[in-house]
Amino acid sequence: MLIDFVPTISGVSLAEAPAFKKAPGGAPANVAVCISKLGGPAAFIGKAFSRDCFVAAGVSFCAALLVCLSPDELGFFIMRGIFNETSIQDSKIDFNAVIRKIPYKGDLVDEICSFSALIRLCLIRRILTAVSRTVLDARYVVSNDGLSKTILYDAILPELC
């Protein structure tokens, strides 16, 4: 479990707080990651990451994508960037333009591809809960003969099973 240190007195800066109380949390790791990816200096000091920590990070990531991207862009990013479906035909969406809309320092798709199985599983679980069914069921043509795939049935479920 991650612990937040909360000032015992409200209305003062952290430097002015005379003491702190420990409170169960998880936000410190998420905030450190976000600050770092946006180019700011950040550090996280901890002993271990649990599955719950990775799930929380997945929630934060999916929420950020929902804010930055339209539903069509989100679906396209999930299919191409997370599930590596590079053969999508007839898309009017520019993948590089979608990537530029996500405030991330580094190569986001490359980092997603390097996730461990546990982190990837947590991310996929968050996609299932955070992304609308309309986006999950959108069809993407992936071949010249009209074969189409959906995020839910052709990307998420096969990976989970």
Side-chain angles (χ1 to χ4, degrees):
M1 177 186 319
L2 296 174
I3 303 294
D4 293 337
F5 286 89
V6 182
T8 55
I9 299 173
S10 62
V12 298
S13 71
L14 292 176
E16 298 169 329
F20 297 89
K21 64 180 180 179
K22 293 181 265 181
N30 293 337
V31 171
V33 168
C34 290
I35 289 171
S36 172
K37 293 302 178 185
L38 292 172
F44 175 78
I45 300 170
K47 291 187 177 182
F49 279 104
S50 69
R51 181 189 58 81
D52 293 336
C53 180
F54 290 128
V55 170
V59 170
S60 299
F61 179 68
C62 287
L65 291 179
L66 289 169
V67 170
C68 297
L69 305 176
S70 72
D72 290 339
E73 292 168 333
L74 176 62
F76 189 72
F77 174 78
I78 291 170
M79 279 300 273
R80 180 140 179 225
I82 296 175
F83 291 103
N84 200 29
E85 184 60 65
T86 58
S87 59
I88 297 173
Q89 308 277 320
D90 195 34
S91 176
K92 294 173 178 56
I93 299 172
D94 176 7
F95 186 67
N96 292 323
V98 170
I99 293 294
R100 285 191 299 273
K101 290 176 82 173
I102 303 168
Y104 189 83
K105 182 182 176 188
D107 187 336
L108 178 59
V109 174
D110 191 45
E111 188 163 335
I112 289 170
C113 289
S114 71
F115 283 174
S116 70
L118 174 63
I119 296 172
R120 189 165 174 79
L121 178 63
C122 291
L123 175 60
I124 291 169
R125 286 182 58 204
R126 291 309 106 208
I127 290 170
L128 275 173
T129 58
V131 176
S132 75
R133 186 64 186 249
T134 303
V135 171
L136 295 175
D137 287 340
R139 298 202 158 277
Y140 297 89
V141 176
V142 295
S143 71
N144 290 332
D145 61 354
L147 175 67
S148 65
K149 292 184 177 183
T150 68
I151 295 169
L152 180 59
Y153 294 107
D154 300 299
I156 291 177
L157 291 180
E159 190 154 334
L160 293 179
C161 297

